[in-house]
Amino acid sequence: MSGILYFVPTPVGNLEDMTFRAVNVLKEVDYILCEDTRTSGILLKHFEISKPLKSYHLHNEHQATEKVITDLKNGQNIAIITDAGTPGISDPGYLLAKAGADNNIEMICLPGATALIPALVVSGLPNNEFLFAGFLPQKKGRQTKLKQLAEEKKTIVLYESPHKINTTLEQIKEFFGEETKASLSREISKKFEETKRGTINELIEFSKSKTLKGEIVLIVNNSI
């Protein structure tokens, strides 16, 4: 009988966002896949979880997936976590989920921490329908993607790093227009959590006035 593959969200900041169920699942599986064994080792030690950790990240997921599927077919229960948030959402996990589906493996994703939903809720922008676009392409296809998103009437959710946020905001202004409404959230669930709302010009001014740190969630809407 095949084992179960668990996708387990981990806190994006505050360790109190870890659920009781997530801790119990991680304590019960045979081993845990993670992006960085050092980062996840700190988390597991905090919650007194002593299970083997195996690296599973963007650079080895193609090679590692086959072995994981074999272990699942042999009856092992396995969990996948990432450095923060829900596996598969702008983090490793999709290839494993696809392989699991292709091999009729039972898969369970626990509800839990993610950065996009808190940022969307507090943005004050329409959230009955939204498009999650994750990280924009670094170079090739970036302008094409921005043009495509600019035609979208739904609220758009983007992830961005601090050192690229100014460029991204300027590009959104260029492709979406100066009247675009936006919200920028950073350090979600951490001590210095902060959200700035306004027009795209106001966010550009805000971003250039200080050095932003932490991963950023950008919410934009040019249809209101």
Side-chain angles (χ1 to χ4, degrees), residues 131-174:
L131 177 82
F132 174 64
F135 288 97
L136 290 168
Q138 295 298 316
K139 294 180 181 179
K140 185 178 180 181
R142 188 177 178 92
Q143 290 194 359
T144 300
K145 186 65 174 179
L146 283 164
K147 289 178 182 177
Q148 175 189 339
L149 293 174
E151 299 298 319
E152 181 62 55
K153 300 303 179 185
K154 300 183 182 73
T155 296
I156 297 166
V157 183
L158 296 166
Y159 283 167
E160 192 51 276
S161 60
H163 67 281
K164 291 184 177 174
I165 187 61
N166 289 338
T167 298
T168 297
L169 289 171
E170 292 284 2
Q171 289 177 326
I172 288 173
K173 176 182 176 180
E174 176 186 352

Short mmCIF file of all heavy atoms in Angstrom, two decimals, residues 131-174:
data_model
loop_
_atom_site.label_atom_id
_atom_site.label_comp_id
_atom_site.label_asym_id
_atom_site.label_seq_id
_atom_site.Cartn_x
_atom_site.Cartn_y
_atom_site.Cartn_z
N LEU A 131 -5.87 37.37 -9.33
CA LEU A 131 -4.92 36.58 -10.10
C LEU A 131 -3.58 36.57 -9.36
O LEU A 131 -3.00 37.62 -9.13
CB LEU A 131 -4.73 37.17 -11.50
CG LEU A 131 -3.70 36.47 -12.37
CD1 LEU A 131 -4.32 35.23 -13.00
CD2 LEU A 131 -3.17 37.38 -13.45
N PHE A 132 -3.12 35.40 -9.00
CA PHE A 132 -1.80 35.28 -8.37
C PHE A 132 -0.77 35.03 -9.45
O PHE A 132 -0.79 34.00 -10.11
CB PHE A 132 -1.79 34.15 -7.34
CG PHE A 132 -0.44 33.89 -6.76
CD1 PHE A 132 0.19 34.87 -5.99
CD2 PHE A 132 0.23 32.70 -6.97
CE1 PHE A 132 1.45 34.65 -5.45
CE2 PHE A 132 1.48 32.46 -6.44
CZ PHE A 132 2.10 33.44 -5.68
N ALA A 133 0.14 35.99 -9.64
CA ALA A 133 1.15 35.89 -10.69
C ALA A 133 2.53 35.54 -10.15
O ALA A 133 3.46 35.34 -10.94
CB ALA A 133 1.22 37.19 -11.48
N GLY A 134 2.70 35.50 -8.83
CA GLY A 134 3.99 35.14 -8.26
C GLY A 134 5.08 36.13 -8.64
O GLY A 134 4.84 37.34 -8.73
N PHE A 135 6.29 35.62 -8.85
CA PHE A 135 7.41 36.46 -9.27
C PHE A 135 7.36 36.69 -10.77
O PHE A 135 7.11 35.76 -11.54
CB PHE A 135 8.75 35.81 -8.91
CG PHE A 135 9.06 35.81 -7.44
CD1 PHE A 135 8.80 34.69 -6.67
CD2 PHE A 135 9.62 36.92 -6.84
CE1 PHE A 135 9.09 34.68 -5.31
CE2 PHE A 135 9.91 36.93 -5.48
CZ PHE A 135 9.65 35.81 -4.71
N LEU A 136 7.60 37.91 -11.19
CA LEU A 136 7.69 38.22 -12.61
C LEU A 136 8.96 37.59 -13.18
O LEU A 136 9.94 37.38 -12.45
CB LEU A 136 7.74 39.73 -12.83
CG LEU A 136 6.46 40.51 -12.55
CD1 LEU A 136 6.75 42.01 -12.52
CD2 LEU A 136 5.38 40.18 -13.58
N PRO A 137 8.98 37.29 -14.49
CA PRO A 137 10.22 36.79 -15.10
C PRO A 137 11.36 37.79 -14.87
O PRO A 137 11.14 39.00 -14.88
CB PRO A 137 9.87 36.71 -16.59
CG PRO A 137 8.38 36.58 -16.62
CD PRO A 137 7.88 37.38 -15.46
N GLN A 138 12.56 37.28 -14.67
CA GLN A 138 13.69 38.15 -14.39
C GLN A 138 14.06 39.02 -15.59
O GLN A 138 14.22 40.23 -15.47
CB GLN A 138 14.90 37.31 -13.97
CG GLN A 138 14.71 36.57 -12.66
CD GLN A 138 14.51 37.52 -11.50
OE1 GLN A 138 15.20 38.53 -11.36
NE2 GLN A 138 13.54 37.23 -10.65
N LYS A 139 14.14 38.41 -16.75
CA LYS A 139 14.54 39.16 -17.96
C LYS A 139 13.65 38.77 -19.13
O LYS A 139 12.73 39.50 -19.49
CB LYS A 139 16.02 38.89 -18.28
CG LYS A 139 16.98 39.43 -17.23
CD LYS A 139 18.43 39.13 -17.60
CE LYS A 139 19.39 39.67 -16.54
NZ LYS A 139 20.80 39.35 -16.87
N LYS A 140 13.91 37.61 -19.71
CA LYS A 140 13.16 37.18 -20.89
C LYS A 140 11.67 37.03 -20.57
O LYS A 140 11.30 36.34 -19.63
CB LYS A 140 13.72 35.86 -21.41
CG LYS A 140 13.09 35.40 -22.71
CD LYS A 140 13.72 34.11 -23.19
CE LYS A 140 13.08 33.65 -24.49
NZ LYS A 140 13.67 32.37 -24.98
N GLY A 141 10.86 37.71 -21.35
CA GLY A 141 9.42 37.60 -21.18
C GLY A 141 8.82 38.51 -20.14
O GLY A 141 7.61 38.51 -19.94
N ARG A 142 9.65 39.33 -19.50
CA ARG A 142 9.14 40.20 -18.44
C ARG A 142 8.16 41.25 -18.98
O ARG A 142 7.07 41.43 -18.45
CB ARG A 142 10.30 40.89 -17.72
CG ARG A 142 9.88 41.68 -16.47
CD ARG A 142 11.10 42.27 -15.79
NE ARG A 142 10.75 43.06 -14.63
CZ ARG A 142 10.68 42.58 -13.38
NH1 ARG A 142 10.93 41.29 -13.17
NH2 ARG A 142 10.37 43.35 -12.37
N GLN A 143 8.55 41.94 -20.05
CA GLN A 143 7.68 42.97 -20.61
C GLN A 143 6.41 42.35 -21.20
O GLN A 143 5.32 42.92 -21.05
CB GLN A 143 8.42 43.77 -21.68
CG GLN A 143 9.51 44.67 -21.12
CD GLN A 143 10.00 45.69 -22.13
OE1 GLN A 143 9.55 45.72 -23.26
NE2 GLN A 143 10.93 46.53 -21.71
N THR A 144 6.54 41.20 -21.82
CA THR A 144 5.36 40.51 -22.35
C THR A 144 4.39 40.17 -21.23
O THR A 144 3.17 40.34 -21.36
CB THR A 144 5.78 39.22 -23.09
OG1 THR A 144 6.66 39.56 -24.16
CG2 THR A 144 4.57 38.49 -23.62
N LYS A 145 4.92 39.70 -20.10
CA LYS A 145 4.08 39.35 -18.95
C LYS A 145 3.41 40.59 -18.38
O LYS A 145 2.22 40.57 -18.03
CB LYS A 145 4.93 38.67 -17.88
CG LYS A 145 4.12 38.14 -16.70
CD LYS A 145 3.20 37.02 -17.12
CE LYS A 145 2.49 36.39 -15.95
NZ LYS A 145 1.57 35.30 -16.36
N LEU A 146 4.13 41.69 -18.28
CA LEU A 146 3.55 42.92 -17.75
C LEU A 146 2.44 43.45 -18.66
O LEU A 146 1.39 43.90 -18.18
CB LEU A 146 4.64 43.98 -17.59
CG LEU A 146 5.56 43.81 -16.37
CD1 LEU A 146 6.82 44.64 -16.53
CD2 LEU A 146 4.82 44.18 -15.09
N LYS A 147 2.63 43.36 -19.97
CA LYS A 147 1.60 43.78 -20.91
C LYS A 147 0.35 42.92 -20.75
O LYS A 147 -0.78 43.42 -20.79
CB LYS A 147 2.12 43.70 -22.34
CG LYS A 147 3.16 44.75 -22.70
CD LYS A 147 3.65 44.55 -24.13
CE LYS A 147 4.74 45.58 -24.48
NZ LYS A 147 5.28 45.35 -25.85
N GLN A 148 0.56 41.65 -20.57
CA GLN A 148 -0.55 40.71 -20.39
C GLN A 148 -1.32 41.03 -19.10
O GLN A 148 -2.56 41.09 -19.10
CB GLN A 148 -0.02 39.28 -20.34
CG GLN A 148 -1.08 38.23 -20.03
CD GLN A 148 -0.45 36.86 -19.77
OE1 GLN A 148 0.68 36.59 -20.19
NE2 GLN A 148 -1.17 36.02 -19.09
N LEU A 149 -0.60 41.24 -18.03
CA LEU A 149 -1.23 41.53 -16.74
C LEU A 149 -1.95 42.87 -16.75
O LEU A 149 -2.97 43.05 -16.07
CB LEU A 149 -0.19 41.50 -15.62
CG LEU A 149 0.43 40.12 -15.30
CD1 LEU A 149 1.54 40.28 -14.27
CD2 LEU A 149 -0.63 39.14 -14.81
N ALA A 150 -1.43 43.81 -17.50
CA ALA A 150 -2.04 45.15 -17.58
C ALA A 150 -3.45 45.10 -18.17
O ALA A 150 -4.26 46.00 -17.92
CB ALA A 150 -1.16 46.09 -18.39
N GLU A 151 -3.75 44.06 -18.93
CA GLU A 151 -5.08 43.90 -19.52
C GLU A 151 -6.06 43.22 -18.57
O GLU A 151 -7.25 43.18 -18.83
CB GLU A 151 -4.97 43.07 -20.82
CG GLU A 151 -4.11 43.71 -21.90
CD GLU A 151 -4.66 45.03 -22.36
OE1 GLU A 151 -5.89 45.14 -22.51
OE2 GLU A 151 -3.87 45.98 -22.57
N GLU A 152 -5.54 42.72 -17.47
CA GLU A 152 -6.35 41.97 -16.52
C GLU A 152 -7.22 42.90 -15.68
O GLU A 152 -6.76 43.92 -15.20
CB GLU A 152 -5.44 41.13 -15.60
CG GLU A 152 -6.15 40.29 -14.59
CD GLU A 152 -7.04 39.26 -15.24
OE1 GLU A 152 -6.55 38.47 -16.07
OE2 GLU A 152 -8.24 39.25 -14.92
N LYS A 153 -8.50 42.55 -15.51
CA LYS A 153 -9.42 43.37 -14.72
C LYS A 153 -9.47 42.95 -13.26
O LYS A 153 -9.94 43.70 -12.41
CB LYS A 153 -10.83 43.30 -15.32
CG LYS A 153 -10.92 43.80 -16.77
CD LYS A 153 -10.40 45.22 -16.88
CE LYS A 153 -10.47 45.71 -18.33
NZ LYS A 153 -9.85 47.06 -18.48
N LYS A 154 -8.97 41.77 -12.97
CA LYS A 154 -8.95 41.31 -11.58
C LYS A 154 -7.78 41.95 -10.83
O LYS A 154 -6.83 42.45 -11.41
CB LYS A 154 -8.79 39.79 -11.53
CG LYS A 154 -9.89 38.99 -12.21
CD LYS A 154 -9.63 37.51 -12.02
CE LYS A 154 -10.68 36.65 -12.72
NZ LYS A 154 -10.51 36.65 -14.17
N THR A 155 -7.86 41.92 -9.51
CA THR A 155 -6.72 42.32 -8.68
C THR A 155 -5.59 41.32 -8.88
O THR A 155 -5.82 40.11 -8.95
CB THR A 155 -7.14 42.36 -7.20
OG1 THR A 155 -8.14 43.37 -7.03
CG2 THR A 155 -5.96 42.66 -6.30
N ILE A 156 -4.37 41.83 -8.98
CA ILE A 156 -3.20 40.99 -9.25
C ILE A 156 -2.29 40.95 -8.03
O ILE A 156 -2.02 41.98 -7.41
CB ILE A 156 -2.44 41.53 -10.47
CG1 ILE A 156 -3.32 41.45 -11.72
CG2 ILE A 156 -1.14 40.74 -10.69
CD1 ILE A 156 -2.80 42.24 -12.89
N VAL A 157 -1.82 39.76 -7.70
CA VAL A 157 -0.90 39.56 -6.58
C VAL A 157 0.47 39.17 -7.12
O VAL A 157 0.59 38.21 -7.89
CB VAL A 157 -1.41 38.47 -5.63
CG1 VAL A 157 -0.47 38.33 -4.43
CG2 VAL A 157 -2.83 38.78 -5.16
N LEU A 158 1.49 39.92 -6.73
CA LEU A 158 2.86 39.65 -7.16
C LEU A 158 3.77 39.49 -5.95
O LEU A 158 3.55 40.11 -4.90
CB LEU A 158 3.39 40.81 -8.02
CG LEU A 158 2.69 41.09 -9.35
CD1 LEU A 158 3.11 42.46 -9.87
CD2 LEU A 158 3.03 40.00 -10.36
N TYR A 159 4.80 38.69 -6.10
CA TYR A 159 5.88 38.61 -5.12
C TYR A 159 7.08 39.37 -5.69
O TYR A 159 7.32 39.35 -6.90
CB TYR A 159 6.30 37.17 -4.86
CG TYR A 159 5.36 36.37 -3.99
CD1 TYR A 159 5.49 34.98 -3.90
CD2 TYR A 159 4.36 36.98 -3.24
CE1 TYR A 159 4.65 34.23 -3.09
CE2 TYR A 159 3.52 36.24 -2.43
CZ TYR A 159 3.67 34.87 -2.36
OH TYR A 159 2.83 34.13 -1.55
N GLU A 160 7.83 40.04 -4.82
CA GLU A 160 9.03 40.73 -5.28
C GLU A 160 10.06 40.80 -4.16
O GLU A 160 9.71 40.79 -2.98
CB GLU A 160 8.68 42.13 -5.78
CG GLU A 160 9.81 42.83 -6.54
CD GLU A 160 10.39 41.96 -7.65
OE1 GLU A 160 11.27 41.12 -7.33
OE2 GLU A 160 9.97 42.11 -8.80
N SER A 161 11.33 40.87 -4.55
CA SER A 161 12.42 41.00 -3.59
C SER A 161 12.71 42.48 -3.36
O SER A 161 12.43 43.31 -4.22
CB SER A 161 13.67 40.28 -4.10
OG SER A 161 14.07 40.85 -5.33
N PRO A 162 13.30 42.83 -2.21
CA PRO A 162 13.55 44.24 -1.89
C PRO A 162 14.42 44.96 -2.90
O PRO A 162 14.18 46.13 -3.21
CB PRO A 162 14.24 44.16 -0.52
CG PRO A 162 13.82 42.87 0.06
CD PRO A 162 13.68 41.93 -1.10
N HIS A 163 15.44 44.28 -3.44
CA HIS A 163 16.37 44.98 -4.34
C HIS A 163 15.80 45.18 -5.74
O HIS A 163 16.42 45.87 -6.56
CB HIS A 163 17.71 44.25 -4.40
CG HIS A 163 17.67 42.90 -5.05
ND1 HIS A 163 17.22 41.79 -4.40
CD2 HIS A 163 18.00 42.50 -6.29
CE1 HIS A 163 17.30 40.75 -5.21
NE2 HIS A 163 17.76 41.15 -6.37
N LYS A 164 14.63 44.63 -6.01
CA LYS A 164 14.02 44.82 -7.34
C LYS A 164 12.70 45.56 -7.29
O LYS A 164 12.09 45.82 -8.33
CB LYS A 164 13.82 43.46 -8.02
CG LYS A 164 15.13 42.79 -8.42
CD LYS A 164 14.88 41.52 -9.18
CE LYS A 164 16.22 40.90 -9.62
NZ LYS A 164 16.04 39.59 -10.24
N ILE A 165 12.26 45.91 -6.07
CA ILE A 165 10.92 46.49 -5.94
C ILE A 165 10.80 47.83 -6.65
O ILE A 165 9.77 48.12 -7.27
CB ILE A 165 10.51 46.59 -4.45
CG1 ILE A 165 9.04 47.04 -4.33
CG2 ILE A 165 11.44 47.51 -3.68
CD1 ILE A 165 8.05 46.11 -4.96
N ASN A 166 11.82 48.68 -6.60
CA ASN A 166 11.73 49.99 -7.24
C ASN A 166 11.55 49.85 -8.75
O ASN A 166 10.72 50.55 -9.36
CB ASN A 166 12.97 50.83 -6.93
CG ASN A 166 13.01 51.30 -5.50
OD1 ASN A 166 11.97 51.36 -4.83
ND2 ASN A 166 14.20 51.62 -5.00
N THR A 167 12.33 48.96 -9.35
CA THR A 167 12.22 48.73 -10.79
C THR A 167 10.83 48.20 -11.14
O THR A 167 10.21 48.65 -12.12
CB THR A 167 13.29 47.72 -11.25
OG1 THR A 167 14.58 48.27 -11.01
CG2 THR A 167 13.14 47.42 -12.74
N THR A 168 10.34 47.26 -10.35
CA THR A 168 9.02 46.67 -10.63
C THR A 168 7.92 47.71 -10.51
O THR A 168 7.00 47.75 -11.35
CB THR A 168 8.76 45.49 -9.67
OG1 THR A 168 9.74 44.48 -9.90
CG2 THR A 168 7.37 44.91 -9.89
N LEU A 169 7.97 48.55 -9.50
CA LEU A 169 6.96 49.60 -9.34
C LEU A 169 6.97 50.56 -10.53
O LEU A 169 5.91 50.96 -11.03
CB LEU A 169 7.18 50.36 -8.03
CG LEU A 169 6.86 49.60 -6.74
CD1 LEU A 169 7.34 50.38 -5.53
CD2 LEU A 169 5.37 49.30 -6.64
N GLU A 170 8.15 50.92 -10.98
CA GLU A 170 8.26 51.82 -12.14
C GLU A 170 7.69 51.15 -13.39
O GLU A 170 7.03 51.80 -14.22
CB GLU A 170 9.71 52.22 -12.37
CG GLU A 170 10.31 53.12 -11.31
CD GLU A 170 9.83 54.57 -11.42
OE1 GLU A 170 8.99 54.87 -12.31
OE2 GLU A 170 10.27 55.40 -10.60
N GLN A 171 7.92 49.87 -13.54
CA GLN A 171 7.40 49.15 -14.70
C GLN A 171 5.88 49.01 -14.63
O GLN A 171 5.20 49.09 -15.66
CB GLN A 171 8.07 47.78 -14.81
CG GLN A 171 9.52 47.86 -15.22
CD GLN A 171 10.19 46.51 -15.25
OE1 GLN A 171 9.88 45.62 -14.45
NE2 GLN A 171 11.12 46.33 -16.19
N ILE A 172 5.35 48.82 -13.45
CA ILE A 172 3.89 48.75 -13.30
C ILE A 172 3.27 50.10 -13.67
O ILE A 172 2.24 50.15 -14.34
CB ILE A 172 3.52 48.33 -11.87
CG1 ILE A 172 3.85 46.84 -11.67
CG2 ILE A 172 2.04 48.59 -11.58
CD1 ILE A 172 3.67 46.35 -10.27
N LYS A 173 3.91 51.17 -13.26
CA LYS A 173 3.44 52.50 -13.64
C LYS A 173 3.44 52.65 -15.16
O LYS A 173 2.47 53.16 -15.76
CB LYS A 173 4.31 53.57 -13.00
CG LYS A 173 3.95 55.00 -13.42
CD LYS A 173 4.90 56.00 -12.77
CE LYS A 173 4.62 57.42 -13.24
NZ LYS A 173 5.53 58.40 -12.61
N GLU A 174 4.50 52.17 -15.79
CA GLU A 174 4.63 52.29 -17.25
C GLU A 174 3.56 51.49 -17.98
O GLU A 174 2.94 51.99 -18.93
CB GLU A 174 6.02 51.80 -17.67
CG GLU A 174 6.23 51.80 -19.18
CD GLU A 174 7.57 51.18 -19.59
OE1 GLU A 174 8.40 50.90 -18.69
OE2 GLU A 174 7.77 50.96 -20.80
#
